[in-house]
């Protein structure tokens, strides 16, 4: 199988340090997991002097990433890529790959479209899983004592602010208002075949509150928790409620009086870089098998992965033979 691999920021030349660090690490993780395939991966000429850990050399993109894809996708049997939901980039690229007829090792475009807009996600999941109360931007009604405002297509805590109702600014059209729920920030990693989902791990998210804003700084995977079974059940139901979610999927949650779904990431997420290091099987190959309709019976992890931002990417510390952190 000839496989195309790319990460949107590094392939299109986006010079955003926050996005670059995680994107680079996830790209390297995919390249390592698919090293026994015939791989080609993409890198913008802006980053041609950046070392990417891989056993193959990059193809340097000198112009538009989309134009390159339109002209060259036909040369490949399959494609796996990483992109953020912001500005619907993940959806647009998914559509482009689908239109080429190349096998996409990820979610279908309609599922990606739903998950890329938090308003749409909440409409689809309403009544299926516990959701954080969301208010209308133009007529919110009576608000709780503390709320979050955040972009409907935001990622990794970017653009989120914690405010009291009396301090609410004019809310732009692309923002949503939600109740601020006190609890533990976690995510659930799953594999899905488009209809059925298999929870893999509960992941703790390290969220730093700075004034009225939030910052994501890595996490720990897998972790044990008294609400883990409930979190797995809710995450599975959320993913199975949106047909077409395939491969690796992440569900962000708040564990409070019960697990609340925050959002669904229809793509590879940061815990992947830790999970692949402690998985007793090749996680990338499991993603491929899931897309082809074959979910594993279970996935076993040996140890715990701690990951955080470093100067060149995400730093991962593996602790073997330890019980998952509480």
């Amino acid at each position: 199988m000839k496989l195309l691999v790319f990460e949107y920021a590094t392939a299109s030349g986006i010079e955003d340090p926050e996005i670059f660090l995680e994107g680079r690490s996830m790209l390297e993780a995919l390249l390592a997991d698919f090293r026994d395939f015939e791989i080609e991966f993409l890198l913008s000429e802006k980053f041609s002097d950046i070392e990417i850990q891989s056993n193959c050399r990059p193809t340097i993109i000198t112009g538009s990433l989309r134009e390159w894809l339109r002209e060259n996708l036909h040369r490949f049997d399959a494609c796996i890529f990483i992109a953020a939901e912001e500005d619907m980039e993940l959806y647009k690229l998914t559509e482009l790959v689908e239109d080429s007829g190349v096998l996409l090792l990820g979610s279908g475009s309609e599922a990606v479209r739903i998950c890329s807009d938090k308003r749409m996600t909440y409409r689809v999941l309403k009544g299926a899983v516990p959701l954080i109360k969301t208010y209308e931007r133009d007529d919110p009604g009576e608000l709780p004592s503390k709320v979050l405002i955040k972009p409907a297509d935001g990622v990794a805590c970017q653009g989120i602010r914690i405010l009291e109702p009396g301090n609410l600014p004019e809310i732009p059209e692309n923002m949503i208002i939600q109740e601020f729920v006190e609890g533990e920030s976690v995510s659930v990693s799953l594999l899905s075949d488009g209809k059925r989902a298999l929870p893999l791990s509960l992941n703790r998210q390290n969220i730093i509150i700075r004034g009225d804003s939030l910052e994501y700084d890595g996490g720990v995977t897998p972790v044990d928790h008294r609400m883990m079974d409930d979190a797995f059940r809710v995450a599975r139901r959320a993913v199975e409620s949106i047909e077409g979610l395939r491969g690796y999927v992440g569900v962000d949650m708040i564990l409070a009086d019960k697990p609340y779904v925050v959002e669904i990431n229809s793509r590879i997420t940061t815990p992947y870089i830790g999970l692949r290091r402690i998985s007793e099987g090749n996680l990338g190959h499991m993603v491929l098998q899931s897309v082809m309709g074959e979910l594993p019976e279970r996935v076993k992890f040996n140890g715990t992965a701690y990951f955080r931002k470093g100067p060149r990417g995400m730093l991962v510390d593996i602790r073997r033979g330890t019980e998952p952190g509480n």
Side-chain angles (χ1 to χ4, degrees), residues 37-305:
F37 285 67
E38 184 182 353
I39 291 179
E40 188 169 333
F41 79 96
L42 308 180
L43 205 59
S44 166
E45 63 178 338
K46 290 184 180 180
F47 301 129
S48 58
D49 59 342
I50 297 292
E51 181 183 354
I52 299 292
Q53 294 182 3
S54 172
N55 59 357
C56 61
R57 296 177 62 84
T59 293
I60 303 300
I61 302 293
T62 57
S64 162
L65 171 61
R66 285 190 181 82
E67 285 303 316
W68 190 96
L69 292 172
R70 291 189 185 98
E71 293 173 5
N72 293 277
L73 268 170
H74 68 277
R75 298 194 288 108
F76 300 90
D77 300 306
C79 174
I80 186 168
F81 70 92
I82 300 162
E85 292 83 357
E86 191 173 7
D87 296 328
M88 301 298 281
E89 288 296 346
L90 179 60
Y91 169 68
K92 294 171 187 174
L93 289 168
T94 299
E95 257 199 331
L96 196 159
V97 176
E98 281 183 338
D99 289 346
S100 74
V102 169
L103 175 64
L104 174 63
L105 305 189
S107 298
S109 58
E110 180 59 20
V112 171
R113 186 175 74 91
I114 292 169
C115 294
S116 294
D117 186 330
K118 295 179 179 63
R119 293 164 297 199
M120 196 177 301
T121 307
Y122 277 75
R123 285 197 292 270
V124 171
L125 295 182
K126 190 173 182 180
V129 296
L131 298 169
I132 296 173
K133 189 169 178 57
T134 302
Y135 301 87
E136 295 294 332
R137 181 181 65 90
D138 296 327
D139 185 20
E142 186 175 351
L143 296 173
S145 59
K146 193 179 289 187
V147 297
L148 292 174
I149 61 168
K150 59 185 180 182
D153 61 352
V155 294
C157 295
Q158 292 183 341
I160 297 178
R161 296 178 64 192
I162 306 171
L163 299 171
E164 296 177 359
N167 296 328
L168 280 183
E170 183 175 344
I171 308 298
E173 189 173 343
N174 71 324
M175 305 291 280
I176 61 174
I177 307 170
Q178 291 183 328
E179 180 180 5
F180 178 78
V181 176
E182 295 278 0
E184 299 177 61
S185 297
V186 301
S187 68
V188 175
S189 297
L190 308 95
L191 291 175
S192 176
D193 65 5
K195 294 182 178 180
R196 300 171 300 129
L198 172 70
L200 301 177
S201 66
L202 183 69
N203 321 305
R204 181 185 302 132
Q205 297 180 326
N206 295 335
I207 306 295
I208 301 170
I209 299 178
R210 300 188 188 279
D212 65 359
S213 63
L214 303 179
E215 179 182 333
Y216 174 73
D217 190 39
V220 185
T221 185
V223 296
D224 198 3
H225 194 281
R226 61 182 177 81
M227 299 179 71
M228 184 173 70
D229 289 343
D230 289 337
F232 279 180
R233 185 174 61 255
V234 169
R236 180 191 293 115
R237 191 181 306 146
V239 172
E240 292 179 348
S241 295
I242 301 176
E243 188 174 356
L245 286 172
R246 289 190 294 269
Y248 181 102
V249 182
V251 179
D252 288 349
M253 311 179 83
I254 297 291
L255 302 183
D257 59 312
K258 55 187 173 183
Y260 291 90
V261 172
V262 176
E263 62 183 75
I264 299 178
N265 296 301
S266 55
R267 55 178 171 81
I268 303 287
T269 59
T270 308
Y272 183 95
I273 65 175
L275 289 171
R276 63 166 296 275
R277 295 270 300 274
I278 56 176
S279 171
E280 293 195 352
N282 186 308
L283 196 53
H285 291 192
M286 293 180 206
V287 170
L288 169 59
Q289 291 164 357
S290 299
V291 170
M292 301 300 290
E294 297 181 25
L295 289 178
E297 288 188 12
R298 66 187 294 252
V299 179
K300 188 174 181 181
F301 299 105
N302 178 23
T304 305

